[in-house]
Amino acid sequence: MQVRPADAGEIDYLAQLWHDAWHGSHAHLAPLELVRLRTLENFRDRLAVKLPDVCVVGPAGAPLGLCALKGDELNQLFVSPQAHGTGVAAALIADAEARLAARGVELAWLACAVGNMRAARFYEKSGWRNAGTFVMMSETSNGPFPVDQWRFEKQLTRTN
Ligand SMILES: CC(C)(COP(=O)(O)OP(=O)(O)OC[C@H]1O[C@@H](n2cnc3c(N)ncnc32)[C@H](O)[C@@H]1OP(=O)(O)O)[C@@H](O)C(=O)NCCC(=O)NCCS
């Protein structure tokens, strides 16, 4: 399964994918105020900033999933429901780990909303360890918003 950099022309499609996948998996877990702040425009704005660090799987113009890095963090991993269980997420996380290792990251981490059981199971079977709970300040158009998260970590092998 080929993982490739996101193309700037895919930003609207990817913003919709991220919006829909976030609401499908987080709307029942997140505070109502945060759900209201997570508009399509908000996803598009945040994606525009992240785009150089985003990789995708799927056809040009219609990717099936995206993965973004931020420093030593696996920052976002969202796959369209039609591609759940197909190996798209596995390809994206393997690529993300390789990109992090190539940056010299030895201990990678990610935040997963407390109660997001499918994601937690996926991370565990991908070799990540749940290191506990913390409060993350999520970026919103109203400033930082506190959200309870699980911190997952994985020791990587250096490739540079
Ligand atoms: C998280 C995500 C990337 C994982 O990709 P995926 O293709 O669904 O992952 P897989 O199907 O390979 O693995 C999911 C595992 O969770 C299991 N699972 C599904 N629902 C579950 C639940 N409610 N509780 C516990 N485990 C669950 C599946 O059975 C599978 O485990 P198995 O392979 O041992 O049977 C994808 O589901 C997704 O994009 N979800 C929406 C967005 C999201 O939550 N992103 C993560 C943000 S931290």
Side-chain angles (χ1 to χ4, degrees):
M1 203 170 286
Q2 198 205 339
V3 181
R4 60 178 175 83
D7 185 89
E10 296 175 315
I11 190 163
D12 289 328
Y13 192 94
L14 287 170
Q16 188 76 58
L17 186 160
W18 188 12
H19 169 276
D20 293 352
W22 187 89
H23 281 273
S25 52
H26 289 72
H28 62 293
L29 299 174
L32 193 56
E33 194 186 337
L34 181 62
V35 175
R36 286 205 187 104
L37 289 165
R38 289 299 185 225
T39 60
L40 180 57
E41 189 187 7
N42 174 258
F43 283 98
R44 196 187 185 288
D45 289 348
R46 289 190 293 146
L47 192 58
V49 176
K50 297 181 190 297
L51 207 63
D53 277 325
V54 175
C55 280
V56 300
V57 163
L64 295 165
L66 67 90
C67 186
L69 306 183
K70 185 178 176 186
D72 58 354
E73 178 191 2
L74 197 164
N75 178 245
Q76 305 291 340
L77 176 58
F78 283 81
V79 171
S80 173
Q82 82 211 54
H84 287 180
T86 64
V88 167
L92 285 168
I93 203 167
D95 174 77
E97 290 171 17
R99 284 193 286 146
L100 287 163
R103 288 180 177 187
V105 175
E106 294 182 2
L107 183 68
W109 71 280
L110 64 83
C112 173
V114 170
N116 187 350
M117 301 308 293
R118 183 175 189 119
R121 167 73 193 129
F122 172 75
Y123 294 132
E124 276 162 8
K125 77 174 181 175
S126 305
W128 293 65
R129 183 183 73 91
N130 190 334
T133 304
F134 74 109
V135 177
M136 186 176 72
M137 302 309 285
S138 283
E139 317 146 27
T140 77
S141 52
N142 269 12
F145 191 104
V147 189
D148 291 340
Q149 301 279 327
W150 283 317
R151 178 185 169 98
F152 279 82
E153 296 177 345
K154 186 170 182 178
Q155 200 75 43
L156 304 177
T157 308
R158 284 192 78 139
T159 55
N160 65 350

